[in-house]
Amino acid sequence: MKGRYLSLAASGAALCLTAVTLTGCGAIGGLTGDNEVTLRVVAADYGDNPQNSSQAYWKDLAEGFEKANPGTKVEVSVYSWSEVDAKVAEMVKAGKAPDIAQIGAYADYAAADKLYSTAELLSVKTEADFLGPLADAGKVKQVQYGMPFVASTRLLFYNEKLLADAGVIGKDAKGWQPKSWADLEAAAKKLKAANVPTPFAVPLGREEAQAETMMWMLAGGGGYTDNEESYSIDAADNIKALEFLRDKMVGQGLTGPVEPGKLDRQAAFEAFTKGEVGMLNGHPTLLKQAEAKGVKYGMVPLPTSDGSEQPAMGVADWVMAFKTGHQQQSGKFLDYLYQPKNVTAFTDKYDLLPATTSGYQAKQAAAGGSAAQLKPFLTALPGSRLYPVGKKSWAGVSEDIKQNIGKTVQPGGQPAKVLEGIATAARAADPR
């Protein structure tokens, strides 16, 4: 087993199309009065429509903080996951870094000495509350710069009615436990024969191609890094995983009318909630989306290539504070952000897992409702694998994967060649 292991790992999927300023402060990151400071915050949107956009959470958070901290204003801009990382990169390049960013990677900014460390920002109580493995994943050269925001693992979701109608499972929709990729292929063929539009959705579009790819690589015994944390993107097991998708899933018409390289995660989720998708990999956000549309579903770990046990994937989204001169104000805001009530408000809204010990214990202790539904994800956390977020090169490598991985599973695609190109560039960007 390769790479970094987690006890908790994280998530995110989302979609708002434009940035939204949540507090109407006229100043840009400077002084609005003689002593008043405006903190600029950039955050990702975890909602799937304007009604449940994350902007409402950040608006309430900003207002609560401002009330408790006269003299500091908070100006928040919320962007979709498909653009938030790029927006922050543009701001930094232009010399206008936000005070705080909640995005997908931090290590490149830490390596460039653009971030405050957590020790420079947080109270002892806040810093100590992060789950240990996630706090470790937020470190560069033993110093923590990345603060985990929320967490999730990934499971295979399936539409119980579609699988029952296709004869994959019994009419009672109980007991399906696929173990290998052969089981998935067989089920997808039955779904296709039953005229299900998309037997198995494989979203390798820009939104989250790096996640879908990693899930299949892990299930095939591979991963992005080896035991020494060196990039192993072009490993034989990874090539075989993509060849399976190309030949057995895409090649046999089992992945639906939209080619994987053009299918985004949220579009696949929406199709699942409409009863058009039999199976897909998903995170906890899909729970409420499916229930809102009355879709009955089951969840199991993604089967592995040969039925052997392999780690699940975890994903972490990160908060970081840039060196803008507002160290004290940023630290106070982050202490407020990580108060238990504010952590719970966000994780409960989107069915995500908390990145703090207090929040994690609360989820484990809760009974019924969303807490019960999240138990399969909690069960999958021990031993989960995280992106190599501690590498400053990861942001660029992730972008390379997003742009190119879809080509590997097209008819005639060349997984070995594409992975070799991505791996060569990754190693060049991460000399050891």
Side-chain angles (χ1 to χ4, degrees):
M1 295 182 183
K2 310 174 181 71
R4 189 189 303 274
Y5 288 78
L6 291 182
S7 292
L8 191 60
S11 125
L15 279 139
C16 189
L17 297 180
T18 58
V20 183
T21 299
L22 298 183
T23 59
C25 307
I28 300 297
L31 299 178
T32 58
D34 290 341
N35 298 304
E36 190 173 80
V37 171
T38 295
L39 290 179
R40 291 185 304 155
V41 180
V42 174
D45 194 349
Y46 290 72
D48 63 324
N49 60 66
Q51 286 68 46
N52 71 351
S53 170
S54 301
Q55 61 181 290
Y57 169 83
W58 288 103
K59 181 178 184 294
D60 290 344
L61 188 80
E63 290 176 350
F65 177 79
E66 289 172 352
K67 185 176 181 180
N69 295 271
T72 303
K73 296 293 183 181
V74 181
E75 181 182 272
V76 188
S77 297
V78 177
Y79 296 91
S80 73
W81 269 110
S82 63
E83 61 180 346
V84 67
D85 290 316
K87 287 290 185 181
V88 172
E90 290 171 6
M91 296 170 71
V92 173
K93 186 177 181 180
K96 298 179 180 179
D99 295 286
I100 295 168
Q102 183 268 301
I103 52 178
Y106 68 87
D108 49 343
Y109 298 123
D113 195 30
K114 294 184 181 297
L115 303 179
Y116 293 117
S117 69
T118 56
E120 295 174 303
L121 295 163
L122 304 176
S123 68
V124 172
K125 181 180 180 181
T126 301
E127 191 174 16
D129 197 32
F130 291 126
L131 285 157
L134 281 180
D136 289 342
K139 295 178 180 179
V140 173
K141 296 182 179 179
Q142 307 306 311
V143 177
Q144 186 179 354
Y145 298 94
M147 291 161 272
F149 182 56
V150 288
S152 79
T153 50
R154 305 299 170 92
L155 294 172
L156 175 67
F157 283 71
Y158 60 90
N159 183 308
E160 292 182 346
K161 182 178 186 304
L162 293 181
L163 265 67
D165 290 347
V168 177
I169 57 179
K171 291 298 182 181
D172 60 359
K174 303 296 182 182
W176 193 49
Q177 293 292 329
K179 297 298 183 183
S180 69
W181 290 351
D183 295 334
L184 294 184
E185 180 187 353
K189 286 180 176 178
K190 289 184 178 181
L191 289 165
K192 182 182 179 182
N195 297 315
V196 173
T198 301
F200 200 118
V202 182
L204 293 177
R206 279 193 51 79
E207 183 184 333
E208 223 191 15
Q210 81 285 2
E212 185 72 16
T213 300
M214 184 173 173
M215 282 182 267
W216 289 99
M217 286 181 171
L218 290 175
Y224 287 137
T225 56
D226 60 22
N227 289 332
E228 284 71 47
E229 295 295 327
S230 296
Y231 282 118
S232 58
I233 296 168
D234 55 350
D237 286 336
N238 294 337
I239 294 170
K240 289 179 181 177
L242 294 174
E243 288 176 342
F244 168 79
L245 291 177
R246 180 195 64 189
D247 299 336
K248 299 299 185 180
M249 303 303 283
V250 178
Q252 296 188 89
L254 304 179
T255 55
V258 180
E259 63 180 85
K262 295 181 180 178
L263 181 64
D264 281 338
R265 172 79 60 204
Q266 186 54 41
F269 280 9
E270 289 172 358
F272 185 81
T273 65
K274 294 176 182 177
E276 298 171 355
V277 172
M279 299 174 283
L280 82 170
N281 293 315
H283 50 68
T285 303
L286 184 54
L287 295 171
K288 284 185 178 178
Q289 294 180 24
E291 288 170 358
K293 296 296 180 66
V295 175
K296 300 295 184 182
Y297 57 85
M299 299 180 295
V300 294
L302 176 64
T304 60
S305 57
D306 58 3
S308 61
E309 186 173 345
Q310 299 293 347
M313 188 190 79
V315 185
D317 301 329
W318 301 93
V319 173
M320 63 216 68
F322 286 87
K323 292 181 175 179
T324 60
H326 295 156
Q327 177 182 349
Q328 181 181 9
Q329 294 87 352
S330 291
K332 285 185 177 180
F333 180 77
L334 291 166
D335 279 334
Y336 185 78
L337 171 67
Y338 283 104
Q339 287 181 11
K341 65 177 182 179
N342 294 326
V343 171
T344 301
F346 194 89
T347 57
D348 286 354
K349 182 178 179 67
Y350 295 106
D351 279 338
L352 294 170
L353 306 178
T356 58
T357 300
S358 57
Y360 183 63
Q361 291 173 340
K363 283 289 187 185
Q364 286 184 311
S370 64
Q373 293 174 314
L374 288 172
K375 284 186 178 179
F377 294 95
L378 290 167
T379 300
L381 290 176
S384 293
R385 292 273 299 281
L386 188 68
Y387 299 136
V389 290
K391 292 180 178 290
K392 67 179 182 180
S393 58
W394 171 243
V397 173
S398 176
E399 182 63 25
D400 199 359
I401 293 168
K402 289 180 180 181
Q403 290 182 2
N404 294 293
I405 206 70
K407 303 172 186 175
T408 64
V409 301
Q410 295 174 345
Q414 300 181 57
K417 183 178 180 180
V418 173
L419 290 183
E420 181 182 4
I422 296 173
T424 298
R427 293 177 185 125
D430 187 58
R432 297 181 67 84

